[in-house]
Amino acid sequence: MKSKIIVALDFASENHLISFVDRVDPELCGLKIGKELFTALGPRPVEMLVKKGFSVFLDLKYHDIPNTVERACAAARDLGVWMVNVHALGGAEMIQAARSGLGNAPNRSLLTAVTILTSMDAAGLRTIGFNLEPVEMVKRLACLAQKSGADGVVCSANEAKELNILFGENFIKVTPGIRPSGSPTDDQKRIMTPSEAMEQGADYLVIGRPITQAQDPVSVLTSVMRDIDTVSYTHLTLPTICSV
């Protein structure tokens, strides 16, 4: 995908979906379909957006037994999605099964693994039994994902720089929790502006409500594009297999 921006379609109405999609071009952004939209409307929006030429990130965060996840990823592949994700906490066998479900075609769907949700901080991790700082948990889960065949991870931009150092530029970093300057943080805790995230080495920026709920979403989208186009940074191509 040429654009670095993935717009999260955070609504469940087909009318809202069509209204937004009709105003943007596939060259401007990819589109993320998550649980709300998929639960409300099923695979129909995915098929529609793929037909319109959009790169679709199917963000259902599969986390189940390996066989179930493999079949779900195969179904996502057949829908023509650009990217699909799983929860890294599902473990190596599950991630490997997900990768198997996507097949080996040259243009196959990409597989990313969610590390720690950007709504979670250290205090939140402690409530579920993890006493590590978020960055350490992210590094461990990213290492597991890479060794298990994932193409990259979904992580906070706060961790993108360290992941570049550990895994090199070919390991994709998809970063939610992106908020343009002046936007409300909503329920996100580990956030960055688009330019800050790109400076840290993020590959794709997931932005939802600041764009989809704006009076002029296309104007916000193009403003973010101009902002990140001014950023220059150098990816660090070091290890190809992690050693965390």
Side-chain angles (χ1 to χ4, degrees), residues 24-164:
V24 295
D25 186 277
E27 294 290 317
L28 292 178
C29 61
L31 298 176
K32 181 174 81 70
I33 290 183
K35 293 181 177 65
E36 180 183 8
L37 184 55
F38 197 86
T39 301
L41 301 177
R44 187 171 68 252
V46 179
E47 296 166 338
M48 178 188 74
L49 297 177
V50 169
K51 187 175 181 179
K52 285 179 173 288
F54 285 96
S55 296
V56 176
F57 173 20
L58 186 59
D59 176 31
L60 299 182
K61 301 181 180 72
Y62 298 131
H63 188 172
D64 212 315
I65 62 172
N67 184 62
T68 297
V69 171
E70 180 174 0
R71 292 184 179 186
C73 286
R77 174 203 65 202
D78 292 344
L79 287 174
V81 302
W82 164 64
M83 182 186 291
V84 66
N85 64 0
V86 299
H87 263 294
L89 284 168
E93 187 179 352
M94 188 203 74
I95 298 170
Q96 291 163 4
R99 176 63 184 78
S100 177
L102 295 177
N104 294 308
N107 61 342
R108 66 169 175 83
S109 306
L110 296 173
L111 175 65
T112 52
V114 176
T115 52
I116 298 298
L117 300 176
T118 52
S119 60
M120 295 284 287
D121 54 14
L125 286 176
R126 286 194 292 273
T127 67
I128 56 174
F130 295 110
N131 293 318
L132 295 173
E133 290 297 312
V135 66
E136 293 303 317
M137 272 298 291
V138 168
K139 285 160 60 175
R140 290 193 183 192
L141 291 172
C143 183
L144 173 71
Q146 189 203 39
K147 287 181 175 179
S148 303
D151 299 294
V153 291
V154 179
C155 65
S156 162
N158 291 278
E159 292 94 42
K161 186 174 183 179
E162 288 213 44
L163 296 187
N164 268 334

Side-chain angles (χ1 to χ4, degrees), residues 1-7 20-31 53-55 204-205 207 211 217-226 228-229:
M1 188 176 72
K2 293 180 181 179
S3 175
K4 297 290 185 181
I5 302 171
I6 303 171
V7 176
F20 179 81
V21 169
D22 284 347
R23 300 172 69 181
V24 295
D25 186 277
E27 294 290 317
L28 292 178
C29 61
L31 298 176
F54 285 96
S55 296
Y204 296 104
L205 312 178
I207 308 174
I211 293 176
V218 176
S219 176
V220 177
L221 177 57
T222 53
S223 176
V224 171
M225 292 179 67
R226 287 195 300 268
I228 64 177
D229 281 346

